């Protein structure tokens, strides 16, 4: 499986929760190529970050697909 991602429209804001968290939001398009098949996904990412030991760490990541109400095959996620 090969994938290509385009991330744009990144916004950064302060988290209203406790501590000094940050919320990063962005739009994405992802093309997945597997064998003879290609699929295209799009949507929004929301990352909640926290400061730890002088660096930023991902506290949570949310993906909202544009076509979330459609019937979709299994989506594989690689870390």
């Amino acid at each position: 499986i090969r994938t290509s991602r385009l991330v744009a429209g990144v916004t950064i804001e302060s988290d209203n929760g406790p501590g000094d968290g940050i919320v990063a939001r962005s739009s994405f398009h992802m093309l997945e190529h597997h064998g003879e098949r290609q699929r295209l996904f799009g949507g929004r990412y929301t990352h909640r970050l926290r400061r730890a030991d002088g660096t930023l760490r991902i506290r949570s990541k949310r993906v909202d697909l544009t076509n979330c109400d459609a019937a979709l095959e299994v989506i594989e996620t690689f870390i």
Side-chain angles (χ1 to χ4, degrees), residues 1-2 6 9 12 14-15 17 25 27 29 34 37 39 42 48 56 58 64 67 69 71:
I1 295 177
R2 291 178 284 178
L6 173 67
I12 308 289
S14 177
D15 190 352
R25 291 184 173 87
S27 299
H29 287 144
H34 187 235
R37 186 178 67 180
R39 299 191 297 172
R48 296 193 180 279
L56 291 173
I58 297 175
D64 294 301
N67 60 338
D69 52 353

Side-chain angles (χ1 to χ4, degrees), residues 5-74:
R5 291 177 178 83
L6 173 67
V7 177
V10 178
T11 62
I12 308 289
E13 58 191 57
S14 177
D15 190 352
N16 292 328
D20 57 353
I22 294 172
V23 178
R25 291 184 173 87
S26 58
S27 299
F28 75 93
H29 287 144
M30 184 190 81
L31 175 66
E32 177 188 86
H33 177 78
H34 187 235
E36 297 298 316
R37 186 178 67 180
Q38 288 188 357
R39 299 191 297 172
L40 179 66
F41 299 98
R44 303 262 314 147
Y45 289 135
T46 302
H47 289 85
R48 296 193 180 279
L49 311 171
R50 63 178 172 81
R51 296 183 199 283
D53 300 324
T55 63
L56 291 173
R57 304 268 182 180
I58 297 175
R59 190 173 76 205
S60 68
K61 176 180 178 179
R62 178 180 169 144
V63 179
D64 294 301
L65 294 175
T66 301
N67 60 338
C68 62
D69 52 353
L72 299 171
E73 295 178 27
V74 174

